Amino acid sequence: MISVDVVIFGGGIAGLWTLAQLTNAGYNAVLLETDALGSGQTIKSQGIIHGGLKYALTGSISSAVAALQDMPTVWQQCLDGNGDINLSAAKVLSPCQHLWSVDRLTGGITTLFASNSLKSQVAVTAKEQWPSVMQFSAIQTKLYELAELVLDIPSVLHALSAPYKDRCVKIDANNFSVETGSGENILHVNAQVNGIGVQFKAQKYIFTAGSGNQLLTKHLAAAPAMQVRPLQMVLVKAKNLLPLYGHCVGLNTTPRMTITTHMAHDNVPVWYLGGKIAEEGVQRTAAEQIDQTKSELRAIFPGLDISAAEYATFFIDRAEAKQSDGTKPTTTTMFSENNYITAWPTKLALAPILAQQILDQLNADNVTPQSSTWDGSLPQAQIATPIWDQLL
Ligand code: FAD
Protein backbone atom coordinates (compact mmCIF):
# COMPACT_ATOMS: atom_id res chain seq x y z
CA MET A 1 0.00 0.00 0.00
CA ILE A 2 1.26 3.46 -0.92
CA SER A 3 0.03 6.40 1.08
CA VAL A 4 0.31 9.89 -0.43
CA ASP A 5 -1.41 13.27 -0.06
CA VAL A 6 -2.93 13.31 -3.54
CA VAL A 7 -3.57 10.76 -6.30
CA ILE A 8 -4.01 12.26 -9.78
CA PHE A 9 -5.57 10.24 -12.60
CA GLY A 10 -4.38 11.02 -16.15
CA GLY A 11 -1.10 12.39 -17.49
CA GLY A 12 -2.32 14.87 -20.11
CA ILE A 13 -1.56 18.57 -19.78
CA ALA A 14 -4.06 18.96 -16.91
CA GLY A 15 -2.73 16.11 -14.77
CA LEU A 16 0.94 16.91 -15.42
CA TRP A 17 0.56 20.62 -14.69
CA THR A 18 -1.37 19.80 -11.52
CA LEU A 19 1.30 17.29 -10.44
CA ALA A 20 4.01 19.92 -10.92
CA GLN A 21 2.05 22.64 -9.13
CA LEU A 22 1.11 20.44 -6.15
CA THR A 23 4.58 18.90 -5.79
CA ASN A 24 6.12 22.39 -5.83
CA ALA A 25 3.65 23.36 -3.08
CA GLY A 26 4.98 20.51 -0.92
CA TYR A 27 2.32 17.87 -1.53
CA ASN A 28 3.33 14.24 -1.87
CA ALA A 29 1.44 13.51 -5.11
CA VAL A 30 1.42 10.58 -7.51
CA LEU A 31 -0.02 10.52 -11.03
CA LEU A 32 -1.51 7.30 -12.40
CA GLU A 33 -1.57 6.89 -16.19
CA THR A 34 -3.01 3.94 -18.14
CA ASP A 35 -1.21 4.75 -21.41
CA ALA A 36 1.60 7.18 -22.29
CA LEU A 37 1.85 10.75 -20.93
CA GLY A 38 -0.08 13.07 -23.25
CA SER A 39 -1.61 10.17 -25.17
CA GLY A 40 -5.18 11.56 -25.10
CA GLN A 41 -5.96 14.99 -26.55
CA THR A 42 -2.72 16.68 -25.45
CA ILE A 43 -0.30 15.06 -27.94
CA LYS A 44 -2.91 15.64 -30.67
CA SER A 45 -3.38 19.32 -29.89
CA GLN A 46 -2.03 21.95 -32.26
CA GLY A 47 -0.01 23.57 -29.48
CA ILE A 48 -1.57 27.01 -29.86
CA ILE A 49 -1.50 29.14 -26.72
CA HIS A 50 -4.63 31.08 -27.51
CA GLY A 51 -5.04 34.58 -26.20
CA GLY A 52 -8.67 34.68 -27.29
CA LEU A 53 -8.19 36.47 -30.61
CA LYS A 54 -9.76 33.66 -32.64
CA TYR A 55 -12.83 33.85 -30.41
CA ALA A 56 -12.94 37.64 -30.72
CA LEU A 57 -13.93 37.14 -34.36
CA THR A 58 -17.49 37.07 -33.07
CA GLY A 59 -17.04 40.79 -32.45
CA SER A 60 -17.65 40.74 -28.70
CA ILE A 61 -15.46 40.19 -25.67
CA SER A 62 -17.01 36.93 -24.53
CA SER A 63 -16.06 35.12 -21.35
CA ALA A 64 -13.95 32.73 -23.49
CA VAL A 65 -11.85 35.66 -24.66
CA ALA A 66 -11.55 37.00 -21.13
CA ALA A 67 -10.41 33.60 -19.79
CA LEU A 68 -7.72 33.21 -22.45
CA GLN A 69 -6.45 36.77 -22.62
CA ASP A 70 -3.57 36.37 -20.15
CA MET A 71 -2.49 32.89 -21.19
CA PRO A 72 0.24 33.80 -23.73
CA THR A 73 1.94 35.89 -20.98
CA VAL A 74 1.56 33.17 -18.33
CA TRP A 75 3.08 30.54 -20.65
CA GLN A 76 5.84 32.90 -21.82
CA GLN A 77 6.90 33.42 -18.19
CA CYS A 78 7.11 29.63 -17.74
CA LEU A 79 9.08 29.29 -21.00
CA ASP A 80 11.47 32.01 -19.77
CA GLY A 81 11.94 30.08 -16.51
CA ASN A 82 10.21 32.83 -14.52
CA GLY A 83 6.76 31.30 -14.02
CA ASP A 84 5.23 28.93 -11.45
CA ILE A 85 6.42 26.00 -13.58
CA ASN A 86 9.77 25.91 -15.40
CA LEU A 87 9.23 25.14 -19.09
CA SER A 88 12.55 26.54 -20.28
CA ALA A 89 13.38 23.18 -21.90
CA ALA A 90 10.24 23.32 -24.10
CA LYS A 91 10.45 24.41 -27.73
CA VAL A 92 8.52 27.32 -29.25
CA LEU A 93 7.53 26.52 -32.85
CA SER A 94 6.41 30.07 -33.57
CA PRO A 95 6.20 33.25 -31.47
CA CYS A 96 3.03 34.30 -33.32
CA GLN A 97 0.24 33.16 -35.62
CA HIS A 98 -1.10 34.69 -38.80
CA LEU A 99 -4.66 35.28 -39.86
CA TRP A 100 -5.93 35.98 -43.34
CA SER A 101 -8.79 35.25 -45.70
CA VAL A 102 -9.21 34.16 -49.29
CA ASP A 103 -12.82 35.36 -49.30
CA ARG A 104 -13.59 38.96 -50.19
CA LEU A 105 -16.40 39.35 -47.64
CA THR A 106 -14.76 38.93 -44.26
CA GLY A 107 -16.47 41.20 -41.79
CA GLY A 108 -15.08 39.13 -38.89
CA ILE A 109 -11.48 40.23 -39.25
CA THR A 110 -12.14 43.93 -38.90
CA THR A 111 -14.18 43.33 -35.75
CA LEU A 112 -10.93 42.17 -34.12
CA PHE A 113 -9.92 45.80 -34.13
CA ALA A 114 -13.17 46.87 -32.56
CA SER A 115 -12.10 45.22 -29.33
CA ASN A 116 -9.89 47.60 -27.40
CA SER A 117 -8.35 45.10 -25.02
CA LEU A 118 -7.17 42.81 -27.82
CA LYS A 119 -6.10 45.53 -30.24
CA SER A 120 -2.52 45.54 -28.95
CA GLN A 121 -2.18 41.83 -29.73
CA VAL A 122 -2.93 42.20 -33.47
CA ALA A 123 -0.73 43.84 -36.12
CA VAL A 124 -0.75 43.97 -39.89
CA THR A 125 2.27 42.12 -41.32
CA ALA A 126 4.21 44.11 -43.91
CA LYS A 127 4.42 42.23 -47.21
CA GLU A 128 8.23 41.93 -46.98
CA GLN A 129 7.73 39.99 -43.72
CA TRP A 130 5.09 37.56 -44.91
CA PRO A 131 5.95 33.89 -44.37
CA SER A 132 7.32 32.58 -47.71
CA VAL A 133 4.38 30.22 -48.19
CA MET A 134 1.96 33.17 -48.50
CA GLN A 135 3.30 33.85 -51.99
CA PHE A 136 1.29 30.76 -53.04
CA SER A 137 -1.91 31.88 -51.30
CA ALA A 138 -5.05 33.39 -52.80
CA ILE A 139 -5.08 35.91 -49.93
CA GLN A 140 -7.68 38.66 -50.41
CA THR A 141 -7.15 40.59 -47.19
CA LYS A 142 -4.24 42.00 -45.25
CA LEU A 143 -2.14 39.44 -43.39
CA TYR A 144 -2.56 39.89 -39.64
CA GLU A 145 -0.13 38.76 -36.98
CA LEU A 146 -1.54 37.55 -33.66
CA ALA A 147 0.64 37.58 -30.54
CA GLU A 148 -0.13 33.93 -29.73
CA LEU A 149 2.60 31.31 -29.27
CA VAL A 150 2.63 27.90 -30.91
CA LEU A 151 4.48 25.24 -28.91
CA ASP A 152 6.05 21.89 -29.71
CA ILE A 153 3.87 19.72 -27.48
CA PRO A 154 6.19 16.69 -27.18
CA SER A 155 8.87 19.02 -25.77
CA VAL A 156 6.31 20.59 -23.40
CA LEU A 157 5.44 17.11 -22.11
CA HIS A 158 9.14 16.33 -21.58
CA ALA A 159 9.83 19.64 -19.80
CA LEU A 160 6.74 19.37 -17.62
CA SER A 161 7.20 15.76 -16.54
CA ALA A 162 11.02 15.50 -16.27
CA PRO A 163 11.38 16.74 -12.64
CA TYR A 164 8.48 14.53 -11.49
CA LYS A 165 8.95 11.51 -13.76
CA ASP A 166 9.29 9.05 -10.86
CA ARG A 167 5.84 10.17 -9.69
CA CYS A 168 4.18 9.33 -13.06
CA VAL A 169 3.25 5.69 -12.62
CA LYS A 170 2.07 3.45 -15.46
CA ILE A 171 -0.89 1.34 -14.32
CA ASP A 172 -2.67 -1.48 -16.15
CA ALA A 173 -5.66 0.00 -18.06
CA ASN A 174 -7.86 -3.06 -17.57
CA ASN A 175 -7.20 -3.80 -13.98
CA PHE A 176 -7.91 -1.07 -11.46
CA SER A 177 -10.77 0.05 -9.26
CA VAL A 178 -11.73 3.13 -7.29
CA GLU A 179 -13.07 1.83 -3.96
CA THR A 180 -15.67 3.70 -1.92
CA GLY A 181 -16.98 0.96 0.38
CA SER A 182 -20.48 1.96 1.44
CA GLY A 183 -19.66 5.65 1.92
CA GLU A 184 -19.38 8.63 -0.41
CA ASN A 185 -15.65 9.19 -0.01
CA ILE A 186 -13.04 7.26 -1.96
CA LEU A 187 -11.24 4.85 0.40
CA HIS A 188 -8.39 3.85 -1.91
CA VAL A 189 -7.51 2.82 -5.46
CA ASN A 190 -6.54 -0.73 -6.39
CA ALA A 191 -4.21 -0.90 -9.40
CA GLN A 192 -1.90 -3.35 -11.11
CA VAL A 193 1.60 -2.03 -11.75
CA ASN A 194 3.66 -4.42 -13.90
CA GLY A 195 1.45 -7.28 -12.79
CA ILE A 196 1.77 -6.48 -9.09
CA GLY A 197 -1.25 -5.28 -7.10
CA VAL A 198 -0.71 -1.85 -5.50
CA GLN A 199 -3.17 0.03 -3.31
CA PHE A 200 -2.94 3.85 -3.44
CA LYS A 201 -4.44 5.79 -0.55
CA ALA A 202 -4.69 9.58 -0.42
CA GLN A 203 -6.35 12.53 1.30
CA LYS A 204 -7.63 13.74 -2.07
CA TYR A 205 -8.20 12.09 -5.48
CA ILE A 206 -8.10 14.19 -8.65
CA PHE A 207 -9.61 13.08 -11.96
CA THR A 208 -7.90 14.85 -14.88
CA ALA A 209 -8.15 11.94 -17.32
CA GLY A 210 -9.83 13.84 -20.19
CA SER A 211 -12.43 11.57 -21.79
CA GLY A 212 -11.43 8.88 -19.25
CA ASN A 213 -13.04 10.92 -16.44
CA GLN A 214 -16.50 9.63 -17.32
CA LEU A 215 -15.65 5.98 -16.73
CA LEU A 216 -13.49 6.74 -13.69
CA THR A 217 -16.23 8.66 -11.87
CA LYS A 218 -19.19 6.56 -13.05
CA HIS A 219 -19.72 4.72 -9.76
CA LEU A 220 -19.05 7.68 -7.48
CA ALA A 221 -21.82 9.36 -5.51
CA ALA A 222 -21.43 12.65 -7.42
CA ALA A 223 -20.24 12.20 -10.99
CA PRO A 224 -20.20 15.35 -13.14
CA ALA A 225 -21.48 14.86 -16.68
CA MET A 226 -19.12 15.09 -19.63
CA GLN A 227 -19.64 16.01 -23.27
CA VAL A 228 -17.49 15.28 -26.28
CA ARG A 229 -17.17 17.36 -29.45
CA PRO A 230 -15.67 15.23 -32.24
CA LEU A 231 -13.15 16.23 -34.90
CA GLN A 232 -11.59 14.55 -37.92
CA MET A 233 -8.11 16.12 -38.04
CA VAL A 234 -5.84 15.96 -41.11
CA LEU A 235 -2.08 15.55 -41.51
CA VAL A 236 -0.31 16.51 -44.75
CA LYS A 237 3.35 15.54 -45.15
CA ALA A 238 5.54 16.80 -48.00
CA LYS A 239 9.15 17.87 -48.39
CA ASN A 240 8.19 21.21 -49.99
CA LEU A 241 5.82 22.41 -47.21
CA LEU A 242 7.00 25.71 -45.77
CA PRO A 243 6.42 26.69 -42.12
CA LEU A 244 3.04 28.22 -41.40
CA TYR A 245 1.11 28.81 -38.19
CA GLY A 246 -2.29 30.43 -38.41
CA HIS A 247 -5.90 30.60 -39.37
CA CYS A 248 -7.40 31.07 -42.80
CA VAL A 249 -10.78 32.55 -41.85
CA GLY A 250 -13.92 32.28 -43.91
CA LEU A 251 -17.32 33.81 -43.54
CA ASN A 252 -18.16 32.45 -40.10
CA THR A 253 -16.45 32.50 -36.72
CA THR A 254 -14.75 29.10 -36.94
CA PRO A 255 -11.59 29.41 -39.07
CA ARG A 256 -11.91 27.63 -42.40
CA MET A 257 -8.56 25.98 -41.70
CA THR A 258 -6.09 26.25 -38.80
CA ILE A 259 -2.60 25.21 -39.89
CA THR A 260 0.39 24.37 -37.71
CA THR A 261 3.70 22.95 -38.95
CA HIS A 262 5.65 20.15 -37.27
CA MET A 263 8.77 18.20 -38.14
CA ALA A 264 8.36 14.43 -38.46
CA HIS A 265 11.04 12.03 -37.16
CA ASP A 266 12.56 11.88 -40.71
CA ASN A 267 12.80 15.70 -40.87
CA VAL A 268 9.98 16.04 -43.39
CA PRO A 269 7.53 18.85 -42.55
CA VAL A 270 3.93 18.06 -41.68
CA TRP A 271 1.01 20.48 -41.86
CA TYR A 272 -1.51 19.68 -39.15
CA LEU A 273 -4.98 20.92 -40.07
CA GLY A 274 -7.87 21.81 -37.77
CA GLY A 275 -10.71 24.35 -37.75
CA LYS A 276 -13.86 24.00 -39.84
CA ILE A 277 -12.34 21.26 -42.02
CA ALA A 278 -11.95 19.09 -38.89
CA GLU A 279 -15.32 19.97 -37.33
CA GLU A 280 -17.34 19.32 -40.49
CA GLY A 281 -15.04 16.40 -41.35
CA VAL A 282 -16.68 14.15 -38.75
CA GLN A 283 -19.49 13.60 -41.28
CA ARG A 284 -17.01 12.32 -43.91
CA THR A 285 -15.10 9.10 -44.42
CA ALA A 286 -11.29 9.38 -44.30
CA ALA A 287 -11.12 9.30 -48.12
CA GLU A 288 -13.76 12.04 -48.40
CA GLN A 289 -11.92 14.10 -45.81
CA ILE A 290 -8.67 13.85 -47.78
CA ASP A 291 -10.48 14.88 -51.00
CA GLN A 292 -12.03 17.84 -49.19
CA THR A 293 -8.60 18.82 -47.80
CA LYS A 294 -7.04 18.75 -51.27
CA SER A 295 -9.84 20.93 -52.60
CA GLU A 296 -9.53 23.41 -49.68
CA LEU A 297 -5.74 23.58 -50.03
CA ARG A 298 -6.13 24.28 -53.77
CA ALA A 299 -8.54 27.11 -52.95
CA ILE A 300 -6.36 28.62 -50.21
CA PHE A 301 -2.93 28.00 -51.83
CA PRO A 302 -3.57 27.72 -55.58
CA GLY A 303 0.15 28.18 -56.31
CA LEU A 304 1.36 25.39 -54.01
CA ASP A 305 2.30 22.03 -55.54
CA ILE A 306 1.00 19.37 -53.16
CA SER A 307 0.90 16.55 -55.72
CA ALA A 308 3.57 14.55 -53.86
CA ALA A 309 2.02 14.96 -50.38
CA GLU A 310 1.05 12.06 -48.10
CA TYR A 311 -2.18 12.37 -46.09
CA ALA A 312 -3.59 10.84 -42.92
CA THR A 313 -6.71 11.64 -40.92
CA PHE A 314 -7.95 10.54 -37.52
CA PHE A 315 -10.97 11.05 -35.31
CA ILE A 316 -10.58 12.52 -31.85
CA ASP A 317 -13.04 13.84 -29.26
CA ARG A 318 -12.57 17.06 -27.33
CA ALA A 319 -13.70 16.07 -23.81
CA GLU A 320 -15.19 18.71 -21.54
CA ALA A 321 -17.74 19.26 -18.81
CA LYS A 322 -21.30 18.94 -20.15
CA GLN A 323 -22.98 22.21 -21.15
CA SER A 324 -26.77 22.46 -21.33
CA ASP A 325 -26.64 23.63 -24.97
CA GLY A 326 -23.72 21.38 -26.02
CA THR A 327 -21.46 24.33 -26.84
CA LYS A 328 -17.82 24.61 -25.75
CA PRO A 329 -17.38 25.70 -22.12
CA THR A 330 -15.88 29.18 -22.04
CA THR A 331 -13.21 28.30 -19.47
CA THR A 332 -11.92 25.52 -17.19
CA THR A 333 -14.34 23.33 -15.23
CA MET A 334 -13.68 21.85 -11.80
CA PHE A 335 -16.11 19.95 -9.57
CA SER A 336 -15.20 19.24 -5.96
CA GLU A 337 -17.27 16.56 -4.19
CA ASN A 338 -16.49 14.58 -1.02
CA ASN A 339 -12.74 13.74 -1.17
CA TYR A 340 -12.37 13.99 -4.94
CA ILE A 341 -12.10 16.60 -7.67
CA THR A 342 -13.08 16.11 -11.33
CA ALA A 343 -11.68 18.62 -13.82
CA TRP A 344 -11.31 19.47 -17.48
CA PRO A 345 -9.09 22.35 -18.71
CA THR A 346 -11.25 22.89 -21.87
CA LYS A 347 -8.11 24.16 -23.65
CA LEU A 348 -4.48 23.18 -23.30
CA ALA A 349 -3.70 26.88 -22.90
CA LEU A 350 -5.86 27.00 -19.74
CA ALA A 351 -4.03 24.20 -17.85
CA PRO A 352 -2.14 26.69 -15.59
CA ILE A 353 -5.46 28.18 -14.43
CA LEU A 354 -6.95 24.76 -13.72
CA ALA A 355 -3.92 23.62 -11.70
CA GLN A 356 -4.12 26.80 -9.58
CA GLN A 357 -7.86 26.22 -9.01
CA ILE A 358 -7.12 22.67 -7.83
CA LEU A 359 -4.39 23.93 -5.47
CA ASP A 360 -6.78 26.58 -4.10
CA GLN A 361 -9.43 23.88 -3.55
CA LEU A 362 -6.97 21.72 -1.55
CA ASN A 363 -6.18 24.74 0.63
CA ALA A 364 -9.88 25.52 1.07
CA ASP A 365 -10.50 21.89 2.10
CA ASN A 366 -7.59 22.01 4.58
CA VAL A 367 -5.71 19.27 2.77
CA THR A 368 -2.21 19.93 4.04
CA PRO A 369 1.03 18.25 2.97
CA GLN A 370 1.88 15.29 5.25
CA SER A 371 5.31 13.88 5.89
CA SER A 372 4.82 10.68 3.89
CA THR A 373 7.67 9.97 1.49
CA TRP A 374 7.80 8.74 -2.08
CA ASP A 375 10.46 6.18 -2.94
CA GLY A 376 9.80 6.37 -6.68
CA SER A 377 10.50 2.74 -7.42
CA LEU A 378 7.38 2.02 -9.52
CA PRO A 379 7.46 1.72 -13.36
CA GLN A 380 7.13 5.11 -15.01
CA ALA A 381 4.76 6.12 -17.81
CA GLN A 382 6.59 7.13 -21.00
CA ILE A 383 5.82 10.14 -23.19
CA ALA A 384 3.47 9.64 -26.15
CA THR A 385 4.76 9.57 -29.74
CA PRO A 386 3.65 12.58 -31.85
CA ILE A 387 0.58 11.77 -33.91
CA TRP A 388 2.36 12.50 -37.24
CA ASP A 389 4.98 9.89 -36.37
CA GLN A 390 2.25 7.41 -35.43
CA LEU A 391 0.29 7.82 -38.68
CA LEU A 392 2.75 8.90 -41.42
P1 FAD B 1 -5.96 14.49 -22.16
O1 FAD B 1 -4.88 15.19 -22.88
O2 FAD B 1 -6.98 13.80 -22.99
O3 FAD B 1 -5.27 13.50 -21.17
C1 FAD B 1 -5.96 12.51 -20.45
C2 FAD B 1 -4.97 11.45 -19.99
O4 FAD B 1 -5.65 10.58 -19.10
C3 FAD B 1 -4.43 10.58 -21.13
O5 FAD B 1 -3.02 10.50 -21.02
C4 FAD B 1 -5.11 9.24 -20.90
O6 FAD B 1 -4.32 8.14 -21.33
C5 FAD B 1 -5.28 9.25 -19.38
N1 FAD B 1 -6.34 8.36 -18.89
C6 FAD B 1 -7.54 8.09 -19.46
N2 FAD B 1 -8.24 7.23 -18.66
C7 FAD B 1 -7.47 6.99 -17.57
C8 FAD B 1 -7.63 6.21 -16.38
N3 FAD B 1 -8.74 5.49 -16.18
N4 FAD B 1 -6.65 6.20 -15.47
C9 FAD B 1 -5.51 6.93 -15.67
N5 FAD B 1 -5.28 7.67 -16.76
C10 FAD B 1 -6.25 7.71 -17.71
N6 FAD B 1 -6.13 23.45 -26.85
C11 FAD B 1 -5.32 24.56 -26.95
O7 FAD B 1 -5.24 25.34 -26.02
N7 FAD B 1 -4.60 24.79 -28.09
C12 FAD B 1 -4.65 23.97 -29.17
O8 FAD B 1 -3.98 24.21 -30.17
C13 FAD B 1 -5.50 22.83 -29.10
N8 FAD B 1 -5.60 21.98 -30.15
C14 FAD B 1 -6.38 20.88 -30.05
C15 FAD B 1 -6.46 20.00 -31.13
C16 FAD B 1 -7.22 18.84 -31.03
C17 FAD B 1 -7.29 17.90 -32.19
C18 FAD B 1 -7.90 18.55 -29.82
C19 FAD B 1 -8.70 17.27 -29.68
C20 FAD B 1 -7.85 19.42 -28.75
C21 FAD B 1 -7.09 20.58 -28.85
N9 FAD B 1 -7.01 21.48 -27.79
C22 FAD B 1 -6.22 22.60 -27.88
C23 FAD B 1 -7.65 21.16 -26.52
C24 FAD B 1 -6.62 20.48 -25.59
O9 FAD B 1 -5.84 19.57 -26.32
C25 FAD B 1 -7.31 19.77 -24.44
O10 FAD B 1 -8.20 20.67 -23.79
C26 FAD B 1 -6.31 19.27 -23.42
O11 FAD B 1 -5.22 18.61 -24.02
C27 FAD B 1 -7.00 18.32 -22.46
O12 FAD B 1 -6.03 17.87 -21.55
P2 FAD B 1 -6.39 16.81 -20.44
O13 FAD B 1 -5.14 16.62 -19.64
O14 FAD B 1 -7.64 17.18 -19.73
O15 FAD B 1 -6.79 15.47 -21.23
Side-chain angles (χ1 to χ4, degrees):
M1 193 187 88
I2 290 179
S3 187
V4 287
D5 295 324
V6 181
V7 167
I8 300 167
F9 282 89
I13 194 74
L16 287 172
W17 203 292
T18 302
L19 176 69
Q21 188 103 343
L22 299 192
T23 309
N24 289 355
Y27 287 98
N28 187 7
V30 62
L31 183 152
L32 307 181
E33 169 59 56
T34 47
D35 197 330
L37 300 175
S39 60
Q41 298 155 88
T42 300
I43 199 77
K44 298 171 193 94
S45 90
Q46 291 189 277
I48 300 167
I49 304 304
H50 300 278
L53 286 158
K54 188 180 81 169
Y55 305 97
L57 284 171
T58 53
S60 61
I61 289 280
S62 65
S63 44
V65 177
L68 286 162
Q69 212 165 342
D70 297 332
M71 299 326 294
T73 309
V74 168
W75 280 77
Q76 189 61 59
Q77 285 166 349
C78 296
L79 292 162
D80 293 341
N82 300 323
D84 285 349
I85 305 297
N86 186 347
L87 289 185
S88 53
K91 200 168 131 200
V92 176
L93 292 175
S94 176
C96 64
Q97 294 198 78
H98 285 98
L99 189 142
W100 76 101
S101 180
V102 295
D103 299 298
R104 282 179 195 281
L105 295 166
T106 45
I109 292 189
T110 45
T111 60
L112 273 176
F113 297 102
S115 138
N116 275 330
S117 60
L118 292 175
K119 207 154 51 179
S120 63
Q121 298 182 35
V122 189
V124 174
T125 312
K127 206 152 186 178
E128 315 78 77
Q129 277 155 16
W130 281 15
S132 310
V133 67
M134 292 310 293
Q135 66 188 290
F136 303 116
S137 169
I139 178 168
Q140 296 289 332
T141 53
K142 291 175 178 161
L143 183 69
Y144 298 92
E145 185 177 302
L146 317 183
E148 295 182 339
L149 298 161
V150 186
L151 302 182
D152 174 59
I153 292 304
S155 73
V156 170
L157 289 167
H158 277 281
L160 195 49
S161 62
Y164 319 98
K165 220 169 172 332
D166 58 341
R167 293 176 178 272
C168 298
V169 175
K170 172 87 165 71
I171 60 168
D172 182 345
N174 304 313
N175 220 336
F176 69 90
S177 59
V178 178
E179 301 292 337
T180 52
S182 55
E184 297 196 330
N185 277 329
I186 297 173
L187 298 177
H188 57 256
V189 174
N190 290 324
Q192 291 277 320
V193 180
N194 251 0
I196 296 166
V198 182
Q199 197 174 87
F200 294 91
K201 195 168 170 52
Q203 299 184 64
K204 202 76 158 181
Y205 299 83
I206 298 173
F207 299 106
T208 45
S211 61
N213 276 354
Q214 190 152 43
L215 205 59
L216 273 165
T217 59
K218 200 167 76 172
H219 301 297
L220 298 179
M226 188 182 90
Q227 69 181 24
V228 291
R229 289 182 303 123
L231 298 166
Q232 184 175 188
M233 300 293 284
V234 186
L235 297 158
V236 186
K237 185 175 180 183
K239 287 190 177 134
N240 65 330
L241 290 178
L242 293 162
L244 183 60
Y245 304 89
H247 313 283
C248 177
V249 295
L251 300 177
N252 65 20
T253 54
T254 302
R256 191 165 161 176
M257 197 180 265
T258 295
I259 304 173
T260 50
T261 312
H262 310 266
M263 213 45 96
H265 66 285
D266 51 4
N267 275 330
V268 176
V270 174
W271 274 7
Y272 187 24
L273 311 181
K276 190 159 158 266
I277 183 106
E279 287 187 8
E280 294 183 352
V282 293
Q283 309 296 340
R284 303 182 191 115
T285 64
E288 287 166 350
Q289 178 73 334
I290 291 170
D291 284 346
Q292 181 65 22
T293 301
K294 288 179 181 170
S295 145
E296 278 291 87
L297 285 176
R298 274 194 301 270
I300 298 171
F301 297 101
L304 187 66
D305 177 11
I306 45 162
S307 53
E310 286 177 78
Y311 295 82
T313 79
F314 66 95
F315 289 86
I316 170 95
D317 286 333
R318 291 166 290 188
E320 306 149 347
K322 189 171 176 56
Q323 307 297 294
S324 53
D325 58 0
T327 57
K328 179 167 79 73
T330 53
T331 185
T332 57
T333 344
M334 185 191 80
F335 298 90
S336 176
E337 298 284 349
N338 308 314
N339 65 345
Y340 52 89
I341 291 171
T342 311
W344 291 273
T346 304
K347 299 236 61 113
L348 175 117
L350 291 168
I353 292 187
L354 184 67
Q356 185 60 48
Q357 287 168 334
I358 291 173
L359 180 59
D360 292 346
Q361 186 67 46
L362 295 192
N363 286 328
D365 293 345
N366 293 320
V367 177
T368 49
Q370 304 292 306
S371 61
S372 45
T373 52
W374 176 252
D375 74 5
S377 60
L378 294 174
Q380 296 168 9
Q382 300 306 305
I383 291 175
T385 304
I387 189 67
W388 37 91
D389 289 336
Q390 291 179 39
L391 298 181
L392 287 168

